[in-house]
Amino acid sequence: MERLLVDNNSGPKITVKVGNTIIGNGEPVFISGPCSVEEYDKMMFIGERLKEIGVHIIRGGAFKPRTSPYDFQGLHLEGIKILHEVGQKFNLPIVTEIMDARDIEKCLPFIDMIQIGSRNMYNYTLLKELGNYEIPILLKRGISATVSEWLYAAEYIMSSGNKNVVLCERGIRTFETYTRNTLDLNSVVAIKQNYRLPVIVDPSHGTGRRELVAPMSLAAIACGADGLMIESHITPDNALSDARQTINLDCLEGIVNKVNKLKELI
Ligand code: PEP
Ligand code: MN
């Protein structure tokens, strides 16, 4: 069997720097913001609260991989520029999804981390292309990817030259329909024990239900996750996408405080 760059025995644990935030150094990292980048004023308001709460990185999708082509597809480059302005104003690095290699160059000046979404985890052409850059990559687990397939996806990016990869467990599709996905925290433990990459957890997509987000955030940190990515909004019911799983900013503040206390205990 080949020796993999992701394996523990290939070197020390990897930490990834996004702006001034380091992912994988033992301190929990919080990434939050709406599913989709929305209007400028709303994003400014959200950014200000996120900074106060202690969130490290702001998220927001501008290229949205929606199941239906008739749903809101995102504000594209305009949205990325809005997110960039918010990030500059509140000193928050930004992460956003890129779906098409042709969009990388034009977005690069405005962003600090590229998200590869669940639907693109198997897009090996895109993964290899990302190896040509140094920008940190947040690699979400494919909807029905095994841990091994997910790690090989990371290997595609790393073996092409970019070692700044952070994994994100976002739940997998199972026979269960109560939740949108089944949040597989086993994967977090397996990865922390055997592999070098940092791994964060997205309990928003992992559950699809906002009332499950706080408890599963604590569970994720308790089992060793390096951070959380949580969808939040000032008025979650009005969010342009993923409203049902989006929490308000007070709820987010509660999670950040509890996680920081939990971290002292473990
Ligand atoms: C998202 O983060 O909004 C998203 C689309 O995530 P995923 O690719 O995990 O579905
Ligand atoms: Mn979403």
Side-chain angles (χ1 to χ4, degrees):
M1 171 102 173
E2 68 274 55
R3 183 182 167 115
L4 296 179
L5 294 167
V6 291
D7 283 346
N8 269 347
N9 60 13
S10 295
K13 290 282 186 193
I14 291 174
T15 57
V16 175
K17 196 160 182 262
V18 184
N20 288 325
T21 297
I22 297 171
I23 308 178
N25 71 352
E27 291 297 313
V29 168
F30 300 98
I31 304 176
S32 193
C35 179
S36 300
V37 177
E38 301 191 11
E39 298 123 59
Y40 179 87
D41 291 349
K42 259 187 214 167
M43 292 304 298
M44 277 290 173
F45 185 91
I46 293 171
E48 185 171 18
R49 277 288 283 139
L50 293 179
K51 187 70 186 186
E52 276 170 19
I53 290 169
V55 165
H56 303 94
I57 300 171
I58 184 170
R59 65 149 284 148
F63 296 96
K64 293 304 300 177
R66 302 305 299 281
T67 301
S68 163
Y70 308 114
D71 286 337
F72 177 61
Q73 301 286 307
L75 299 175
H76 296 174
L77 190 57
E78 204 45 50
I80 290 193
K81 287 181 181 167
I82 292 174
L83 200 57
H84 176 70
E85 274 196 49
V86 176
Q88 294 285 100
K89 172 112 199 229
F90 301 110
N91 192 22
L92 287 166
I94 73 171
V95 58
T96 194
E97 177 163 0
I98 301 282
M99 296 196 289
D100 187 326
R102 290 169 295 186
D103 292 322
I104 298 174
E105 289 285 340
K106 62 173 179 271
C107 295
L108 223 44
F110 304 105
I111 64 183
D112 302 288
M113 184 179 215
I114 292 177
Q115 172 173 321
I116 294 303
S118 199
R119 293 156 189 81
N120 265 318
M121 190 212 82
Y122 289 112
N123 185 342
Y124 300 125
T125 316
L126 180 59
L127 300 179
K128 277 196 266 187
E129 184 63 26
L130 293 168
N132 297 324
Y133 300 87
E134 280 181 12
I135 186 164
I137 309 296
L138 185 63
L139 178 64
K140 291 191 128 191
R141 182 175 182 179
I143 290 173
S144 47
T146 62
V147 169
S148 163
E149 287 166 340
W150 185 21
L151 289 164
Y152 274 114
E155 195 76 18
Y156 261 101
I157 302 171
M158 294 169 72
S159 64
S160 307
N162 186 348
K163 305 287 189 300
N164 297 313
V165 179
V166 175
L167 299 170
C168 179
E169 170 60 63
R170 49 79 73 206
I172 48 175
R173 183 167 283 179
T174 68
F175 54 81
E176 182 57 74
T177 54
Y178 179 79
T179 47
R180 181 178 180 184
N181 290 293
T182 296
L183 186 59
D184 178 19
L185 295 180
N186 299 347
S187 75
V188 176
V189 181
I191 289 163
K192 293 303 292 180
Q193 287 179 353
N194 301 301
Y195 301 95
R196 300 167 65 204
L197 294 175
V199 56
I200 69 166
V201 170
D202 169 356
S204 306
H205 294 86
T207 63
R209 289 175 172 255
R210 68 169 69 114
E211 64 277 17
L212 268 58
V213 169
M216 295 314 288
S217 295
L218 296 175
I221 295 298
C223 77
D226 293 295
L228 296 165
M229 177 149 88
I230 298 174
E231 287 183 340
S232 64
H233 197 281
I234 10 167
T235 49
D237 285 333
N238 298 329
L240 290 181
S241 53
D242 287 351
R244 181 68 184 85
Q245 68 196 31
T246 300
I247 60 169
N248 66 40
L249 299 164
D250 292 341
C251 179
L252 179 70
E253 186 167 30
I255 294 173
V256 170
N257 292 337
K258 278 189 190 153
V259 163
N260 287 332
K261 279 196 193 126
L262 175 65
K263 199 66 195 175
E264 283 170 23
L265 287 176
I266 47 181

